[in-house]
């Protein structure tokens, strides 16, 4: 998997169209108690993602933010709500807040490979400031850092892309032309949103596949073959 693009379904919901909410101090239940189950990476993929993030940058909060998106399927709006106090002292859980727009505030277990990154981000805040700030920001005020989507592309991590059109074979053998890098499409996915008015928003998936089912009901339906492969389309929401 070295030097290859890795498609992570959890990153399909990274971009959001809503604004960051105010800080929250609630006691959020576990994600499983909210009936929310993020996509699980295969062990081989998990090991490669961990290897890339642990070596990608000297700024731990940037790597920790992308790691959190990979194991929670959170949007940038939800990631921005995490403060240092929302990370457990041992780094085993993190709470992301959401004022009911999606599925509410949730506490997620942190996988072992991501614990050092999140703990390093929290430690940087304790070194640079005595206050509890946003976990995925720099208390030292670094400048010129890439956006999260650009950082993900630097790590060759992205959401599943639209299927490529099939090339027609010509009888004449054409000289091979150098392949141009394909621009990554970052969709705006509303699958995890819970409010009815969000369903009226325009479809901004841009041909990208929807993430896998994320509730007990939809996961069971997928196992039984009751959900179509294009799960998530507006006209199929009634199947939930």
């Amino acid at each position: 998997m070295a030097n290859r693009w890795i498609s992570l379904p959890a990153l399909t919901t990274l971009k959001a169209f809503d604004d960051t909410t105010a800080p929250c101090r609630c006691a959020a239940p576990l994600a499983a108690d909210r009936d929310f189950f993020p996509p699980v990476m295969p062990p081989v993929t998990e090991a490669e993602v961990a290897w890339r993030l642990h070596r990608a940058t000297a700024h731990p909060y940037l790597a920790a933010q992308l790691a959190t998106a990979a194991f929670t399927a959170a949007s940038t709006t939800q990631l921005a709500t995490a403060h240092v106090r929302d990370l457990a002292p041992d780094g085993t859980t993190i709470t992301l807040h959401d004022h009911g727009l999606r599925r509410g505030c949730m506490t997620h277990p942190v996988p072992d490979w991501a614990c050092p990154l999140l703990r390093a981000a929290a430690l940087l805040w304790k070194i640079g400031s005595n206050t509890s700030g946003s976990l995925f920001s720099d208390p030292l005020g670094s400048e010129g850092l890439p956006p999260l989507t650009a950082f993900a592309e630097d790590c060759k991590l992205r959401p599943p892309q639209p299927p490529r059109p099939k090339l027609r074979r010509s009888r004449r053998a054409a000289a091979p032309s150098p392949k141009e890098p394909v621009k990554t499409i970052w969709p705006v996915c509303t699958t995890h949103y819970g409010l009815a008015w969000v369903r009226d928003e325009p479809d901004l998936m841009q041909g990208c596949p929807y993430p896998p089912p994320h509730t007990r009901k939809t996961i069971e339906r997928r196992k039984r073959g009751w959900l179509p492969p294009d799960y998530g389309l507006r006209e199929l929401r009634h199947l939930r």
Side-chain angles (χ1 to χ4, degrees):
M1 301 182 71
N3 299 322
R4 295 183 180 181
W5 282 98
I6 297 179
S7 297
L8 299 180
L11 297 184
T12 304
T13 51
L14 183 62
K15 292 192 69 175
F17 60 81
D18 54 306
D19 296 326
T20 304
T21 56
C24 181
R25 290 181 174 270
C26 70
L30 293 175
D33 295 334
R34 288 278 195 192
D35 196 21
F36 181 82
F37 300 90
V40 178
M41 289 186 283
V44 175
T45 303
E46 185 180 73
E48 178 65 21
V49 171
W51 187 89
R52 295 184 186 186
L53 292 181
H54 276 265
R55 291 161 176 79
T57 178
H59 302 281
Y61 48 88
L62 194 59
Q65 187 179 21
L66 184 56
T68 304
F71 68 79
T72 63
S75 67
T76 52
T77 303
Q78 292 171 298
L79 294 171
T81 65
H83 281 235
V84 178
R85 62 176 178 267
D86 293 315
L87 180 68
D90 58 356
T92 56
T93 62
I94 184 172
T95 299
L96 301 179
H97 301 282
D98 176 62
H99 293 276
L101 188 60
R102 294 169 182 82
R103 304 192 68 83
C105 304
M106 289 183 285
T107 299
H108 298 266
V110 180
D112 293 339
W113 62 267
C115 278
L117 294 173
L118 272 69
R119 293 181 65 185
L123 181 61
L124 186 62
W125 265 99
K126 294 179 181 179
I127 293 175
S129 175
N130 293 325
T131 60
S132 177
S134 178
L135 179 62
F136 303 127
S137 62
D138 183 13
L140 305 179
S142 299
E143 298 180 355
L145 295 180
L148 189 59
T149 52
F151 175 64
E153 292 182 39
D154 290 340
C155 300
K156 287 196 171 182
L157 303 175
R158 63 184 180 186
Q161 298 295 287
R164 293 186 180 183
K166 295 182 179 180
L167 299 177
R168 294 182 179 179
R169 295 183 178 180
S170 59
R171 295 182 178 179
R172 297 180 180 178
S177 57
K179 293 184 178 180
E180 296 183 358
V182 179
K183 184 179 180 181
T184 299
I185 296 177
W186 290 91
V188 179
C189 181
T190 59
T191 295
H192 295 167
Y193 287 79
L195 299 181
W197 64 266
V198 179
R199 302 178 185 179
D200 297 329
E201 292 292 325
D203 192 321
L204 300 176
M205 290 298 296
Q206 304 183 64
C208 294
Y210 281 79
H214 55 276
T215 67
R216 290 183 181 90
K217 180 188 295 185
T218 53
I219 290 173
E220 287 300 319
R221 285 184 171 180
R222 169 57 64 84
K223 289 180 180 178
R224 298 178 184 180
W226 292 357
L227 281 178
D230 49 357
Y231 160 82
L233 293 177
R234 303 298 172 87
E235 58 269 20
L236 303 176
R237 292 268 174 97
H238 67 281
L239 295 177
R240 296 187 183 184

